[in-house]
Amino acid sequence: MADGSLTGGGLEAAAMAPERTGWAADQEPASLERGLFQDEDSCSDCSYHDKPGSSLQSFMPEGKTLFPKIFQTNQLLFYERFRAYQDYILADCKASEVKEFTADFLEKVLETCGWRAVWHTNVFKVLVEVFCAFPALQMATSFSSSSAWLRADVPGHLSRIRSSPLLVTLCHLLVTIVLIDLPDYSVSSMRVTDVDFAALKAVVRLAEPYLCDSQVSAFTMECMKELLDLKEHRLPLQELWVVFDDSGVFDQTALAIEHVRFFYQNIWRSWDEEEEDEYDYFVRCVEPRLRLHYDILEDRVPSGLVVDYRNLLSQCEESYRKFLNLRCSLSNCNSDSEQENISMVEGLKLYSEMEQLKQKLKLIENPLLRYVFGYQKNSNIQAKGARSSGQKITHVVSSTMIAGLLRSLLTDRLCQEPGEEEREIQFHSDPLSAINACFEGDTVIVCPGHYVVHGTFSIADSIELEGYGLPDDIVIEKRGKGDTFVDCTGADIKISGIKFVQHNAVEGILIVHRGKTTLENCVLQCETTGVTVRTSAEFLMKNSDLYGAKGAGIEIYPGSQCTLSDNGIHHCKEGILIKDFLDEHYDIPKISMVNNIIHNNEGYGVVLVKPTIFSDLQENAEDGTEEDKALKIQTSGEPDVAERVDLEELIQCASGKMELYARTDPSEQVEGNCEIVNELIAASTQKGQMKKKRLSELGITQADDNLMSQEMFVGIVGNQFKWNGKGSFGTFLF
C-alpha cells in the first residue's frame, strides 16, 4: 500500500474544484493546494509548491524492452480516491451526468500536450507522446480567456504565471503576437485540442526512439503506424501510463488519468446510466463499490464471496449485453409482427434476470448487508474415506513428549481393550499435520500446549478431534490471514476439550458446510463471526463457551439443524443470527436451545432475518381472504373467538416440555424464550401459507394443514438472556 505521499489530492486545487459547486470560487489557490497536498496527519503548513520536484513515486514497467520510468499511481489509498471522486470529479452528479463531470474535470487538470506515455494493452506496450501541432497557438488561445481563468484554471505547467503580474502581462502580449502571426485563423477555430475530453481520448504519435514490447513479433514500427492511422491517432486515456517527470509538471496529469482509469475499471457499470437518476451517484454507487474494492484488497472479504461477486458481475454484464442487442433488434422490427412479440417476452425475462442480479450485487456491495445475508459457499474438500486396509489410526499431537505424559496417555486413552483390534499410533508436532493425515474413523488426541497454525483445518471425513486435559491448557491459535479456521464437511465429526483462538480472520472460526459436527466442552475465542451452520448441515454444541465475535456468535442458515445446550455466548456483536432469504425456498431451520446463557452482546441475544413480505403479509391479512384471516388469528396474540389457537399451547408443543426455570429473573427469562418461539412459529406459518398459495395458483391442491398438526421445529427451554445491548430478541427485515 502506498505511503502518505501518494495523495489523490495531488491534483491542483484550483483546477480540480468543479465549477457547479462554487464552493472554491472565493478561495485562494494556494490554500486549496495546501489542503490537497498536505498529509492529513501532518501539522506542517508547507504546500506542494514549497517542495521542488514530483510528489509521486515511479516504477519501471516489466518486460523485455527497457522503457522509461512511469508514474506509480495505482497504489493510492482509499481515502485519497474517495476524496478525489467526492470533492473534485463527481461531486453530487447523477449517473447520467458522470461523463460530463469527468470531461469537465479533465479539461481543468490535464496537460493537453507535451507529455509522453506508455500505451499499454493486453497485447503490447509502446512508447507514445501527446503532441501539439501549434504549441504557441495553444498557449495563446488558452490565455485569450478571462483573467479569472488565469487566477484559477491555468494548466499545471503554467500555474506559476498567475502569481506574477509581469508574466500575466507578457502572456497577453504573446496572445497578440500569435494572433498577428496567424491572421487566417479566428480565436474559435484556431484552438488546437490534443485531448478529446468528452471521448476520454488523447491524440498521440509514436515517440522517438521507437520502443515496443509485444507478445508477438509482428508489431514493427510500420505496423504500429498503420494501427495508429486506423485509430486516427486517438487512444483511450485509460490505456496510457504517463512517463515519469521529476519536475512535478505532469503530476496532475498522471493522477487525473489514474482516477479515470480506476473509475471505469472498478466502479462504473455499463447499466448505471439507465438506473434511477434521483439520487447522488457517488453516495449510491461509488462509495460502496470503492469500499468493497479496498476490503477485497485488504483481505477483509471471504474469498468465496469475492468469487460470487465477480461471477454475478459477469452474468449481469452478459445479460445486459443481450438486453441491448434485443432492444436494438426490436427497433428494427416491423410493428405488430410475431417476432416482435417473441422478442418482447425475451426482453422482459432478461430485464427481470438483470434486476435480480443487480440486487444481489448491491447486497454484496453494502458493507452491512454482505455479512447479514452472507453467501452460499460450496466447499470443495474431498473426503478420503476409509483406508484400503480398513485400519484406523490414532494421531497424538504434542510439541514435546515426556515420559510422564506418555504413561498417562497409555493408561487413559491408548490402553487396548480386550478383544479390540490392534491400533496404529502416529505422533505429530502440530495439529494441522495430524488432521491432514486423517482418514475415515481416525482419532486425533491433542496434548496440553499452545499450538500456532497458519492454515485451515479442513475436515472432510468422520473423525474425532479431542483435547487431553482442560480446554484452557490446550490452545490452538490461528495466525495469518485466511478464510476459515475449521472447515467441516464430514458426515459425523466430533470435537471436544480444545480452545480455539482466531486472529486476522475473514470468515468465522468454525463453518459446518454439511454433515453433522458435534462440539463439546470447547472454548471459541472469535475474530469475525463465530460458528456458521450452512443449509442442510447439522450442528450440536454442548457445555462450550463462545465470545469475541465482531459479527454473530452463531449464524444459522435456512434448512439446517442446530442444537445448543448449556453454552455461554457472550461479548459478540449479536448472540445468535437466524437467517432467511426471499429468493430461496428453504425450510426454516430446526433449532433447539436449552439452558444457554446469552449475555453481554452488543446487539440482540437472538436476531431473526426475514423478508419484509412476511411482515406485509401479516399487516394485509385483515383485507385478505378468510384463509389470510385465519392465519392472522393463529399467529397473533389478540384474544378472539373460540377458533383461535392458544399460543401458549403452541409454545408448549414447540418446546416439548416447557419448564421455564426461574434462576435470577424469571419474568425476563420467560419473555425471552417465548418471544423467540412466537416469532419462529409465525414465520414458519406464514411461509407455509405463501407456499400453499403458490401451489394453488399452479392448480395444485393440498390437504389442509392445521398449525397444531405441523411438525414443531424448535425447542426453546430455560435460556437466560442478560445485559444484551438491544434486548433478548429482535427481527431484521429486508
Side-chain angles (χ1 to χ4, degrees):
M1 195 57 64
D3 59 84
S5 65
L6 290 175
T7 59
L11 300 166
E12 199 150 346
M16 290 178 67
E19 291 181 357
R20 293 172 179 79
T21 60
W23 65 271
D26 300 328
Q27 299 188 45
E28 290 296 327
S31 64
L32 288 174
E33 289 167 3
R34 186 180 300 112
L36 289 171
F37 281 97
Q38 184 174 308
D39 190 290
E40 293 185 359
D41 299 328
S42 172
C43 297
S44 171
D45 291 327
C46 296
S47 70
Y48 167 71
H49 294 300
D50 296 328
K51 300 178 181 179
S54 174
S55 64
L56 302 179
Q57 295 180 359
S58 63
F59 75 99
M60 187 70 70
E62 296 180 357
K64 301 175 182 178
T65 305
L66 188 61
F67 282 96
K69 291 183 178 180
I70 61 178
F71 283 101
Q72 185 170 14
T73 55
N74 59 349
Q75 294 184 342
L76 298 179
L77 301 176
F78 166 79
Y79 79 88
E80 294 166 345
R81 296 193 193 275
F82 182 94
R83 186 180 183 188
Y85 292 130
Q86 183 184 47
D87 294 345
Y88 305 113
I89 303 177
L90 302 176
D92 57 353
C93 75
K94 306 295 188 290
S96 59
E97 300 172 327
V98 165
K99 291 182 180 178
E100 179 186 353
F101 272 59
T102 304
D104 288 349
F105 163 75
L106 290 174
E107 192 169 1
K108 291 181 174 71
V109 303
L110 214 63
E111 298 287 354
T112 54
C113 62
W115 47 277
R116 297 191 302 164
V118 175
W119 178 21
H120 192 173
T121 70
N122 294 330
V123 181
F124 59 80
K125 294 192 289 284
V126 64
L127 187 64
V128 297
E129 62 180 352
V130 179
F131 68 94
C132 180
F134 305 100
L137 178 60
Q138 169 109 13
M139 183 182 295
T141 53
S142 297
F143 277 92
S144 64
S145 54
S146 68
S147 59
W149 183 86
L150 279 172
R151 290 195 299 272
D153 295 337
V154 182
H157 66 296
L158 300 173
S159 60
R160 281 67 170 177
I161 295 174
R162 65 187 174 207
S163 62
S164 171
L166 177 59
L167 289 177
V168 172
T169 305
L170 289 174
C171 287
H172 280 293
L173 181 59
L174 176 63
V175 172
T176 306
I177 294 171
V178 171
L179 292 179
I180 292 172
D181 289 342
L182 298 169
D184 296 334
Y185 296 92
S186 66
V187 172
S188 59
S189 64
M190 283 187 298
R191 180 170 178 81
V192 178
T193 303
D194 299 300
V195 176
D196 185 347
F197 300 107
L200 302 179
K201 291 185 176 181
V203 181
V204 305
R205 65 185 175 194
L206 292 178
E208 296 180 359
Y210 174 71
L211 296 177
C212 180
D213 185 17
S214 172
Q215 298 176 3
V216 294
S217 58
F219 286 99
T220 62
M221 182 185 292
E222 289 71 22
C223 292
M224 196 60 66
K225 285 181 178 179
E226 289 180 11
L227 180 59
L228 284 175
D229 289 339
L230 289 173
K231 292 180 173 288
E232 298 179 343
H233 289 259
R234 294 154 53 89
L235 301 180
L237 289 173
Q238 296 97 305
E239 296 180 2
L240 300 179
W241 296 78
V242 182
V243 170
F244 182 74
D245 186 311
D246 58 5
S247 68
V249 169
F250 299 118
D251 283 15
Q252 293 183 37
T253 298
L255 281 168
I257 292 176
E258 169 59 28
H259 286 309
V260 172
R261 176 169 41 241
F262 181 89
F263 176 79
Y264 282 101
Q265 286 180 352
N266 300 287
I267 306 296
W268 180 255
R269 308 285 182 254
S270 52
W271 55 83
D272 280 352
E273 260 186 321
E274 301 192 15
E275 292 280 292
E276 292 183 10
D277 223 17
E278 299 176 3
Y279 303 103
D280 186 334
Y281 179 72
F282 178 85
V283 174
R284 182 165 56 91
C285 297
V286 178
E287 182 178 357
R289 291 172 187 172
L290 185 62
R291 290 189 183 279
L292 176 62
H293 177 83
Y294 276 88
D295 284 346
I296 292 172
L297 279 184
E298 295 165 12
D299 293 327
R300 291 200 295 264
V301 180
S303 60
L305 186 55
V306 175
V307 171
D308 284 358
Y309 181 76
R310 288 171 179 164
N311 288 339
L312 287 170
L313 198 56
S314 298
Q315 292 173 31
C316 198
E317 287 171 349
E318 180 63 25
S319 297
Y320 184 66
R321 192 159 38 247
K322 291 179 181 177
F323 181 76
L324 289 181
N325 293 336
L326 189 61
R327 189 166 63 182
C328 182
S329 66
L330 274 174
S331 63
N332 298 327
C333 283
N334 296 325
S335 58
D336 300 327
S337 67
E338 183 179 352
Q339 180 62 36
E340 183 182 22
N341 294 333
I342 296 173
S343 298
M344 286 288 289
V345 174
E346 292 177 359
L348 288 173
K349 288 181 180 179
L350 281 172
Y351 180 79
S352 176
E353 180 184 330
M354 267 173 41
E355 289 302 311
Q356 290 181 10
L357 291 170
K358 285 193 284 188
Q359 186 63 29
K360 291 180 179 180
L361 287 171
K362 287 176 182 177
L363 287 179
I364 299 176
E365 289 166 357
N366 187 299
L368 171 63
L369 298 182
R370 85 173 67 127
Y371 295 114
V372 171
F373 297 103
Y375 67 102
Q376 298 296 322
K377 177 180 176 182
N378 299 314
S379 179
N380 294 321
I381 309 168
Q382 298 295 323
K384 298 177 183 177
R387 290 180 178 83
S388 56
S389 62
Q391 187 179 22
K392 297 179 181 179
I393 295 177
T394 299
H395 304 265
V396 177
V397 179
S398 179
S399 52
T400 56
M401 180 62 69
I402 58 176
L405 178 61
L406 184 57
R407 281 196 300 271
S408 300
L409 275 172
L410 289 170
T411 303
D412 299 338
R413 300 293 179 88
L414 305 177
C415 183
Q416 186 176 348
E417 297 292 333
E420 187 181 1
E421 185 181 352
E422 196 75 31
R423 257 201 175 197
E424 181 182 339
I425 300 173
Q426 293 183 4
F427 292 90
H428 304 264
S429 58
D430 71 278
L432 185 58
S433 63
I435 289 174
N436 291 339
C438 282
F439 283 75
E440 185 81 14
D442 285 5
T443 300
V444 178
I445 300 174
V446 185
C447 297
H450 191 117
Y451 304 90
V452 177
V453 297
H454 293 270
T456 298
F457 286 8
S458 300
I459 307 177
D461 294 281
S462 298
I463 66 169
E464 293 186 23
L465 175 62
E466 56 183 87
Y468 181 56
L470 298 174
D472 287 336
D473 296 330
I474 306 162
V475 179
I476 302 178
E477 179 181 353
K478 186 178 188 299
R479 293 181 185 171
K481 291 187 177 181
D483 283 352
T484 51
F485 194 164
V486 183
D487 235 357
C488 298
T489 57
D492 188 11
I493 299 169
K494 296 178 181 178
I495 304 173
S496 62
I498 296 174
K499 179 177 182 178
F500 295 93
V501 179
Q502 185 184 37
H503 292 298
N504 297 323
V506 178
E507 286 198 63
I509 198 167
L510 187 150
I511 298 183
V512 186
H513 294 279
R514 53 183 177 270
K516 178 181 178 181
T517 297
T518 301
L519 194 74
E520 187 172 3
N521 194 30
C522 289
V523 177
L524 304 179
Q525 180 180 321
C526 308
E527 175 79 11
T528 51
T529 53
V531 177
T532 302
V533 189
R534 299 284 184 189
T535 300
S536 302
E538 183 178 354
F539 178 64
L540 174 63
M541 179 174 168
K542 298 190 295 185
N543 300 314
S544 296
D545 194 39
L546 187 155
Y547 61 91
K550 294 177 183 175
I554 298 178
E555 292 184 352
I556 304 173
Y557 276 67
S560 63
Q561 297 184 42
C562 185
T563 302
L564 307 174
S565 176
D566 300 287
N567 302 292
I569 302 172
H570 56 97
H571 294 92
C572 302
K573 177 73 174 179
E574 310 285 353
I576 298 171
L577 185 69
I578 304 171
K579 295 194 173 187
D580 202 348
F581 296 97
L582 179 61
D583 61 339
E584 300 287 352
H585 305 298
Y586 294 122
D587 295 328
I588 290 181
K590 297 183 179 180
I591 303 170
S592 176
M593 294 171 56
V594 180
N595 298 336
N596 300 285
I597 303 177
I598 303 173
H599 65 95
N600 289 101
N601 296 292
E602 184 179 336
Y604 292 102
V606 177
V607 178
L608 174 63
V609 178
K610 65 177 185 178
T612 309
I613 191 171
F614 284 163
S615 178
D616 294 341
L617 179 61
Q618 192 165 351
E619 289 176 4
N620 297 331
E622 296 177 357
D623 304 325
T625 62
E626 292 299 322
E627 197 173 25
D628 294 329
K629 292 180 181 179
L631 170 62
K632 181 175 175 63
I633 291 172
Q634 289 179 339
T635 57
S636 68
E638 299 176 4
D640 206 350
V641 294
E643 294 177 1
R644 169 184 167 274
V645 178
D646 190 347
L647 190 55
E648 293 300 324
E649 185 179 350
L650 290 177
I651 295 172
Q652 283 193 347
C653 292
S655 306
K657 297 179 179 179
M658 180 63 82
E659 298 176 1
L660 300 176
Y661 301 101
R663 297 185 178 178
T664 53
D665 189 349
S667 61
E668 182 183 356
Q669 185 173 325
V670 170
E671 181 183 352
N673 286 273
C674 291
E675 193 175 2
I676 296 170
V677 174
N678 292 354
E679 188 63 37
L680 289 177
I681 289 176
S684 175
T685 307
Q686 291 169 348
K687 194 162 188 175
Q689 193 75 14
M690 291 176 65
K691 179 181 178 182
K692 190 174 179 182
K693 282 186 176 181
R694 285 195 299 269
L695 293 175
S696 177
E697 290 171 359
L698 294 171
I700 303 172
T701 57
Q702 275 187 335
D704 252 350
D705 285 338
N706 187 285
L707 184 61
M708 294 297 295
S709 67
Q710 292 181 8
E711 179 186 359
M712 287 301 144
F713 53 87
V714 290
I716 314 293
V717 180
N719 302 284
Q720 298 185 50
F721 300 91
K722 301 179 180 180
W723 310 303
N724 295 296
K726 295 183 180 179
S728 59
F729 179 79
T731 301
F732 184 93
L733 297 176
F734 70 96

